[in-house]
């Protein structure tokens, strides 16, 4: 980028210098020509007052000054010329300056001389008696003028070029300074000034940066949590096993301890399953989200499956609504339904009710899972969707929860571009709603 800007600037400078020089030459030469003609015109005006004898005298004098004087009759025949014998000269009636003078009273022309480096300037005027007076002088042509000043021009050009090189270098540096600064301090929170044109770019990068940091933090936290969660059941497995190994347990105790080992092992399995599921949902691998799924049908199947579990908890399950289609991934939706219903059953009360409803409202399909359970205190409501977060650790542990269910739900909702809503009051119950875009 630096090189590009630099080259660009130098190129512009070189073009600028060349164009300026060419234009200046053209302007100067134009001025020079006009000045020449103006001088000739003054000569002619002065000379036209002179008598033929005076004219000859002046003509002789002017020869030294390289001014040529010609007097012609009204038809263009040469009467007098201070350079050549007039008798040898042909009729000049067709020369452009003479023609113009015959017609309009005055005329001018510039003709290249035999040698390329000279031009002759002619000015002719018609006198009161019809005769024509022509004054001419030779001057350097534009080519020889250019030729003679070319060396100085080249010098000036070279100096200008050098200056513009230095300037371009300096300018490029100062142009790029804020960008470089930006790159150096993007992440460290130092306030820096940069071009407002870079604003969107900077915002994107800074957002990405903080996202990456946040992700890293979450991952670290997650790893710490996982380790901790794995440790608890493993410690109890190890403890029970040690008791059996050392023979400290006998008969009935062995059976009880084996039960403990079994439960802890089961818990580990659930945990690992959930972790695998979460990391699957985390990975950018695109699972197909394009299935047309009857959410009502899926919920009904889920409710049926959980009937046994509900019976165990002495909780009533009720399914309501009608067939509604959403676009998404069937397996994920199944998991979402299972997790929500499972919570509604597990965190319910003896003889409680769980009501699942799927219905359509305008462009939305709304899934509602409502329970008459223990509810969630306000201060926990934000956090229950975090990984491993449980309101009452001892209670959910006794029911075997790992605190990953709602984290998975949140993920699945996001993947379906749906919205989640939670309403809960302790002792009364909880309503969780998911709003999907309806599929026709
Ligand atoms: P998992 O679902 O992974 O087996 P879990 O049920 O403990 O474990 P989540 O489903 O994420 O984890 O729920 C987090 C916590 O939120 C639960 O421990 C519980 O305290 C609370 N919670 C979830 N659903 C309800 C509900 N319907 N009523 C009351 N509390 C709930
Ligand atoms: Mg759960």
């Amino acid at each position: 980028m630096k090189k590009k800007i630099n080259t660009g600037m130098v190129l512009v400078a070189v073009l600028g210098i060349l164009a300026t020089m060419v234009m200046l030459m053209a302007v100067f030469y134009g001025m020079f020509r006009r000045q020449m003609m103006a001088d000739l015109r003054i000569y002619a005006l002065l000379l036209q007052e002179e008598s033929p004898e005076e004219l000859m005298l002046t003509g002789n004098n002017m020869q030294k000054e390289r001014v040529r004087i010609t007097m012609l009759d009204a038809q263009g025949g040469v009467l007098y010329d201070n350079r050549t014998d007039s008798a040898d000269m042909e009729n000049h009636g067709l020369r452009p300056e003479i023609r113009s003078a015959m017609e309009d009273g005055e005329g001018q022309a510039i003709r290249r001389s035999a040698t390329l480096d000279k031009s002759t300037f002619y000015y002719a005027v018609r006198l009161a008696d019809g005769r024509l007076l022509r004054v001419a002088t030779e001057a350097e042509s534009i080519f020889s003028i250019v030729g003679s000043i070319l060396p100085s021009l080249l010098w000036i050009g070279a100096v200008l070029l050098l200056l513009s090189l230095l300037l371009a270098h300096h300018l490029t540096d100062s142009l790029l300074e804020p960008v470089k600064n930006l790159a150096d301090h993007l992440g460290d929170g130092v306030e820096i000034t940069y071009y407002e044109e870079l604003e969107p770019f900077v915002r994107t990068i800074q957002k990405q940066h903080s996202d990456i940091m946040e992700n890293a933090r979450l991952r670290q936290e997650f790893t710490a949590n996982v380790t901790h969660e794995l440790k608890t059941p493993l410690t109890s497995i190890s403890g029970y096993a040690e008791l059996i190994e050392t023979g400290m347990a006998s008969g009935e105790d062995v059976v009880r301890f084996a039960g403990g080992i079994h439960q802890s092992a089961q818990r580990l399995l659930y945990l690992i399953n959930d972790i695998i599921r979460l990391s699957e949902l985390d990975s950018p691998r695109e699972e197909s989200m394009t299935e047309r799924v009857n959410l009502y049908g899926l919920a009904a199947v889920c409710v049926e499956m959980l009937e046994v579990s509900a019976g165990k908890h002495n909780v009533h399950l009720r399914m309501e609504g009608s067939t509604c289609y959403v676009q998404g991934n069937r397996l994920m939706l199944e998991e979402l339904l299972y997790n929500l219903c499972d919570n509604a059953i597990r965190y319910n009360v003896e003889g409680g009710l769980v009501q699942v409803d799927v219905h359509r409202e305008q462009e939305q399909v709304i899934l509602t899972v409502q329970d008459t359970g223990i509810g969630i205190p306000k201060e926990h409501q934000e956090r229950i969707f975090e990984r491993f977060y449980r309101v009452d650790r001892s209670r959910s542990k006794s029911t075997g929860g790992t605190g990953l269910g709602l984290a998975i739900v949140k993920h699945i909702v996001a993947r379906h571009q749906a919205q989640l809503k939670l309403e809960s009051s302790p002792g009364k119950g909880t309503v969780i709603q998911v709003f999907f875009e309806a599929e026709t």
Side-chain angles (χ1 to χ4, degrees):
M1 175 162 166
K2 187 168 170 175
K3 206 166 158 196
K4 210 166 165 185
I5 296 181
N6 218 331
T7 330
M9 285 202 214
V10 171
L11 212 75
V12 169
V14 169
L15 281 177
I17 293 170
L18 283 179
T20 312
M21 283 184 166
V22 169
M23 276 186 311
L24 274 181
M25 303 271 269
V27 169
F28 281 143
Y29 192 65
M31 275 167 64
F32 169 73
R33 259 167 47 167
R34 250 174 285 134
Q35 190 57 51
M36 284 303 269
M37 281 303 176
D39 288 350
L40 285 179
R41 186 161 173 272
I42 290 168
Y43 284 149
L45 291 177
L46 290 174
L47 287 173
Q48 69 181 342
E49 306 294 330
E50 294 188 354
S51 64
E53 297 76 28
E54 281 172 331
L55 191 70
M56 257 187 236
L57 204 68
T58 322
N60 283 336
N61 290 335
M62 292 291 248
Q63 223 169 356
K64 281 187 239 94
E65 307 299 326
R66 309 175 65 92
V67 176
R68 184 177 179 184
I69 298 167
T70 316
M71 184 63 85
L72 304 107
D73 63 26
Q75 284 72 46
V78 179
L79 298 174
Y80 164 76
D81 188 275
N82 70 343
R83 281 274 176 85
T84 322
D85 189 350
S86 56
D88 294 345
M89 291 172 67
E90 80 228 356
N91 187 291
H92 274 30
L94 289 178
R95 306 275 166 103
E97 73 278 11
I98 304 294
R99 280 249 308 266
S100 303
M102 284 171 171
E103 281 161 20
D104 308 326
E106 62 174 348
Q108 47 182 266
I110 301 166
R111 282 197 284 280
R112 183 79 37 86
S113 305
T115 47
L116 202 65
D117 58 346
K118 292 263 161 46
S119 292
T120 308
F121 290 70
Y122 297 95
Y123 180 83
V125 59
R126 191 176 58 204
L127 303 185
D129 56 8
R131 284 179 311 152
L132 301 150
L133 175 66
R134 187 181 75 172
V135 198
T137 190
E138 228 174 22
E140 287 187 279
S141 75
I142 186 157
F143 299 102
S144 69
I145 293 176
V146 171
S148 62
I149 61 172
L150 198 61
S152 5
L153 276 183
L154 284 180
W155 268 112
I156 296 172
V159 170
L160 284 179
L161 188 66
L162 196 76
L163 276 176
S164 63
L165 273 174
L166 287 174
L167 210 72
H169 187 78
H170 183 77
L171 236 116
T172 312
D173 275 355
S174 68
L175 262 175
L176 292 183
E177 175 77 16
V179 179
K180 202 173 150 297
N181 246 334
L182 200 60
D184 290 345
H185 298 291
L186 208 54
D188 53 16
V190 175
E191 253 319 294
I192 24 167
T193 44
Y194 47 82
Y195 302 115
E196 91 189 78
E197 286 83 351
L198 289 178
E199 183 78 39
F201 173 74
V202 171
R203 238 181 295 129
T204 309
I205 300 239
Q206 274 173 343
K207 166 120 186 30
Q208 276 176 1
H209 184 82
S210 63
D211 282 357
I212 289 170
M213 301 301 271
E214 175 64 11
N215 263 336
R217 195 185 63 79
L218 283 179
R219 194 142 301 169
Q220 205 174 6
E221 216 177 272
F222 181 63
T223 313
N225 276 328
V226 167
T227 319
H228 178 78
E229 294 293 330
L230 290 175
K231 224 169 126 187
T232 324
L234 276 175
T235 311
S236 73
I237 288 175
S238 178
Y240 287 133
E242 197 185 357
L243 286 175
I244 298 171
E245 186 185 30
T246 52
M248 283 174 73
S250 61
E252 226 173 85
D253 280 349
V254 174
V255 177
R256 198 158 56 81
F257 292 167
I261 291 175
H262 182 204
Q263 208 184 342
S264 294
Q266 203 65 42
R267 208 178 131 62
L268 276 178
L269 275 178
Y270 280 135
L271 192 64
I272 286 165
N273 248 338
D274 280 351
I275 293 170
I276 288 171
R277 194 70 200 107
L278 258 181
S279 73
E280 267 173 16
L281 286 168
D282 256 345
S283 76
R285 185 174 54 97
E286 270 314 306
E287 270 161 283
S288 162
M289 303 293 292
T290 55
E291 249 175 298
R292 191 162 174 267
V293 182
N294 174 3
L295 195 65
Y296 175 79
L298 214 58
V301 171
C302 183
V303 165
E304 224 178 284
M305 262 178 12
L306 283 168
E307 214 56 82
V308 178
S309 163
K312 258 199 265 178
H313 288 84
N314 200 9
V315 167
H316 237 66
L317 274 181
R318 194 188 294 162
M319 178 73 217
E320 280 175 354
S322 57
T323 300
C324 292
Y325 287 95
V326 298
Q327 174 122 336
N329 181 294
R330 174 183 295 273
L331 285 178
M332 285 191 199
L333 291 172
E334 232 172 64
E335 198 157 355
L336 173 128
L337 285 162
Y338 173 82
N339 275 315
L340 290 181
C341 297
D342 178 55
N343 283 348
I345 294 168
R346 269 204 281 163
Y347 305 107
N348 218 316
V349 291
E350 199 72 17
L353 178 70
V354 173
Q355 205 164 313
V356 181
D357 179 279
V358 178
H359 72 274
R360 186 171 167 161
E361 232 169 71
Q362 279 136 24
E363 297 307 306
Q364 285 188 318
V365 170
I366 305 174
L367 162 71
T368 311
V369 180
Q370 182 167 9
D371 65 59
T372 56
I374 57 172
I376 305 158
K378 195 115 210 118
E379 65 270 24
H380 295 285
Q381 289 183 7
E382 276 277 301
R383 303 203 57 194
I384 54 168
F385 294 97
E386 290 174 18
R387 293 163 184 197
F388 296 114
Y389 194 84
R390 284 160 294 193
V391 174
D392 177 357
R393 293 203 156 232
S394 57
R395 176 175 173 125
S396 86
K397 208 164 260 176
S398 70
T399 57
T402 56
L404 289 174
L406 287 180
I408 292 174
V409 165
K410 188 177 156 193
H411 243 295
I412 293 173
V413 167
R415 286 293 288 270
H416 283 78
Q417 272 147 25
Q419 280 81 44
L420 247 177
K421 194 174 145 200
L422 168 82
E423 259 171 64
S424 185
S425 48
K428 286 206 178 121
T430 304
V431 184
I432 293 188
Q433 284 188 301
V434 187
F435 300 84
F436 293 92
E437 197 180 311
E439 167 86 342
T440 44

